[in-house]
Amino acid sequence: MAKQTTRALTVHLLENIINKQQYANLELNQVLNRERLSLVDQKLVTRLLYGTIQWQLRLDYNWQRFAKHPEQLPLWVQVDLRVALYQFLFLDKIPAHAIFNEATAIAKKRDGGRYANLVNAILRQVQRHGEADYTEISDPVQRLSVTGSVPLWLTKRLVDQYGLARCEQLFAVINQPPFASIRVNTVKTDRATLLADLLPDHPTLTDSPLSAAGLRAEGGNFAQEPAFAAGEFTVQDESSMLVAPSLQVKPNQVVLDACAAPGGKTTHIAEYLDPHSGGHVVALDIHQHKLDLIRRNAERLGVSNRIQTKLLDARQVDSAYPDANFDRILVDAPCSGLGLLRRKPEIRYAKTAEQIAGLPKIQAAILAAVAPKLKVGGLLVYSTCTIISAENQDVVQQFLATHSNFEAVPVLAAQELNWTGDQKNFQLLMDDENSDGFFIACLKRIQ
């Protein structure tokens, strides 16, 4: 069997991601591990994959102008056109004739070549007429949806919450490549030492402006580094690194991480604890394989003696622990994940308004279940990786309205950043520090 070209491989990858509703990084890693690609081809497949996903709606808007019934075309044809147009509109090193010839060649090998002429004709039409004139879209919200490649329902939701001007600013960055970021494991090293060790192979690596525990670079596969295997760092986004410090953990305290997987925050919390004085974190999750992942990461990082894992739904915590049992509680709640649009661009198409509508009920139920387990004077941190107020500020407001024994206090991370916005409802957007969107609230039990 002849080896697939990088573009044909990308088309096949995108088909699988859409059909399986799978995360792009998981499918990509499988392919890169299976195929014997040069480093140059690995980078090209990665760029084609993520770029095509990020700009999908904008790409579709351009080619669909020249198709009578675009929605009736097979998925692979639509994907083939998207990949070709991403190259044509966004990558300037590949000649147009090479792009279009390759797209047509891919089409000739599928369905007996019946769509090859159509693919070639559509692409030539786009070349002839140029990229669409988006000013012809009279509705500014619809225009922003197309130019930013964010579904219209979600664009409307964000514009209603943040305003058109802020969303234009936000959409200008969400399709840019995210930084690669790592969290230094202070149990084994420090940031300055790790930076010096990694810098020769990662010349763009620098201190994170968000987290004192973080380093970030313009790309790079840090999980392949010997220092990763040695447990000197873990891969984690910068905004996520702000959660554990916000708990203000003391070495001898007992902490509950109610929704712990995949364990990045759990192991971060563990760094602040002293197992010799009884300090430990209890990590809950509803999937055993995810708890196993937490344990493996804890062993690699040298903090396994500070972490206890338990297979338990956080909403059932009353069955396992007495009231006033924990000094600190973290609810890093299941959420829509829409703060990850840069890192996981496919979620913008996979999520629906109906799916999101059911999440606040789950989030509120978890908060209500764990609240009695916190000691008086203790802190409960609620966090999500989303930017939707219904999952963030509204959930916190509802909790406080029904729990008079709690009060919101300023989030430590916001104070340390001199955050000029609401420090009790700390909402980071992706354009604030070029990191993931994140929400943190700190709730103190006062009686």
Side-chain angles (χ1 to χ4, degrees):
M1 182 176 177
K3 184 178 178 181
Q4 291 189 85
T5 66
T6 54
R7 290 164 228 176
L9 194 61
T10 304
V11 171
H12 183 68
L13 252 174
L14 283 164
E15 280 186 271
N16 281 342
I17 290 165
I18 295 169
N19 284 327
K20 295 179 182 178
Q21 295 187 334
Q22 182 62 280
Y23 284 127
N25 65 315
L26 299 180
E27 288 292 316
L28 177 62
N29 288 340
Q30 287 185 13
V31 168
L32 294 184
N33 289 333
R34 183 178 69 242
E35 302 288 336
R36 295 181 177 178
L37 300 178
S38 67
L39 184 59
V40 171
D41 283 347
Q42 288 182 34
K43 290 181 178 179
L44 179 58
V45 169
T46 301
R47 185 166 185 183
L48 289 177
L49 178 70
Y50 281 101
T52 303
I53 294 173
Q54 286 168 330
W55 295 107
Q56 177 178 314
L57 295 183
R58 184 163 169 170
L59 298 170
D60 284 351
Y61 186 83
N62 276 275
W63 72 260
Q64 287 176 356
R65 296 177 293 161
F66 306 107
K68 288 184 178 180
H69 301 287
E71 71 284 349
Q72 295 179 9
L73 291 175
L75 175 62
W76 73 263
V77 175
Q78 299 182 47
V79 171
D80 190 19
L81 289 165
R82 288 170 188 163
V83 174
L85 283 183
Y86 172 68
Q87 292 179 283
F88 177 62
L89 296 177
F90 291 93
L91 304 183
D92 56 6
K93 292 184 178 180
I94 307 174
H97 67 85
I99 296 170
F100 299 160
N101 289 343
E102 175 70 16
T104 304
I106 291 171
K108 286 180 179 178
K109 296 179 181 179
R110 302 286 296 265
D111 288 1
R114 61 183 293 203
Y115 293 101
N117 289 337
L118 178 63
V119 166
N120 184 63
I122 289 175
L123 293 175
R124 296 297 177 185
Q125 285 281 62
V126 176
Q127 182 184 31
R128 187 175 300 114
H129 290 87
E131 187 170 5
D133 182 0
Y134 305 111
T135 62
E136 294 179 353
I137 305 174
S138 58
D139 181 352
V141 177
Q142 184 181 1
R143 182 167 60 248
L144 180 59
S145 169
V146 172
T147 58
S149 197
V150 175
L152 184 58
W153 74 266
L154 180 54
T155 303
K156 288 179 176 177
R157 186 84 173 261
L158 294 173
V159 169
D160 286 345
Q161 185 174 333
Y162 295 107
L164 182 63
R166 181 64 196 271
C167 285
E168 288 174 341
Q169 181 178 320
L170 177 63
F171 284 21
V173 304
I174 60 171
N175 293 320
Q176 297 174 5
F179 285 107
S181 57
I182 60 176
R183 192 193 81 235
V184 180
N185 179 14
T186 57
V187 171
K188 293 192 174 185
T189 187
D190 59 74
R191 185 161 74 168
T193 301
L194 184 64
L195 176 61
D197 289 344
L198 296 177
L199 201 56
D201 293 325
H202 301 275
T204 64
L205 191 66
T206 186
D207 290 346
S208 164
L210 265 180
S211 170
L215 294 167
R216 72 179 184 185
E218 296 173 4
N221 189 354
F222 286 90
Q224 301 300 317
E225 288 290 338
F228 177 83
E232 294 181 10
F233 68 86
T234 194
V235 177
Q236 187 176 356
D237 186 74
E238 297 163 273
S239 56
S240 177
M241 298 178 204
L242 301 178
V243 175
S246 295
L247 285 161
Q248 302 178 51
V249 175
K250 295 180 174 58
N252 65 339
Q253 290 183 330
V254 180
V255 183
L256 175 66
D257 188 350
C259 311
K265 301 175 192 67
T266 309
T267 55
H268 197 182
I269 292 168
E271 291 182 30
Y272 296 97
L273 297 169
D274 177 13
H276 302 294
S277 60
H280 66 276
V281 53
V282 176
L284 308 183
D285 200 81
I286 59 175
H287 300 291
Q288 185 60 50
H289 71 278
K290 292 185 177 181
L291 292 177
D292 294 339
L293 176 62
I294 293 172
R295 281 198 289 267
R296 288 196 298 271
N297 283 332
E299 290 170 2
R300 179 177 60 83
L301 296 167
V303 294
S304 57
N305 61 340
R306 311 171 193 204
I307 297 173
Q308 298 175 6
T309 59
K310 188 172 182 63
L311 186 67
L312 185 69
D313 187 322
R315 291 169 291 186
Q316 307 300 321
V317 71
D318 192 51
S319 66
Y321 299 100
D323 289 351
N325 189 70
F326 297 99
D327 300 287
R328 300 286 188 267
I329 295 178
L330 170 61
V331 175
D332 186 49
C335 69
S336 61
L338 291 171
L340 309 179
L341 287 177
R342 289 180 71 178
R343 198 168 303 280
K344 297 179 178 179
E346 63 275 15
I347 65 174
R348 72 186 78 183
Y349 313 116
K351 301 294 181 180
T352 66
E354 291 73 25
Q355 289 173 326
I356 292 175
L359 288 170
K361 184 177 180 180
I362 298 171
Q363 295 156 345
I366 295 173
L367 277 177
V370 304
K373 308 306 168 186
L374 185 66
K375 295 178 181 178
V376 175
L379 299 178
L380 189 166
V381 166
Y382 175 78
S383 64
T384 74
C385 56
T386 190
I387 56 177
I388 300 294
S389 58
E391 301 178 68
N392 295 335
Q393 294 91 334
D394 294 356
V395 171
V396 172
Q397 185 177 5
Q398 178 190 345
F399 174 82
L400 292 174
T402 54
H403 293 77
S404 59
N405 58 334
F406 279 81
E407 67 175 7
V409 297
V411 176
L412 180 63
Q415 293 176 293
E416 292 179 340
L417 288 171
N418 295 316
W419 190 251
T420 56
D422 185 351
Q423 293 195 345
K424 295 182 180 179
N425 289 279
F426 179 37
Q427 179 70 75
L428 268 171
L429 298 184
M430 294 80 93
D431 61 326
D432 283 314
E433 292 290 347
N434 289 318
S435 65
D436 288 347
F438 224 89
F439 176 83
I440 307 174
C442 189
L443 311 172
K444 183 176 182 179
R445 183 171 180 180
I446 54 178
Q447 58 179 325

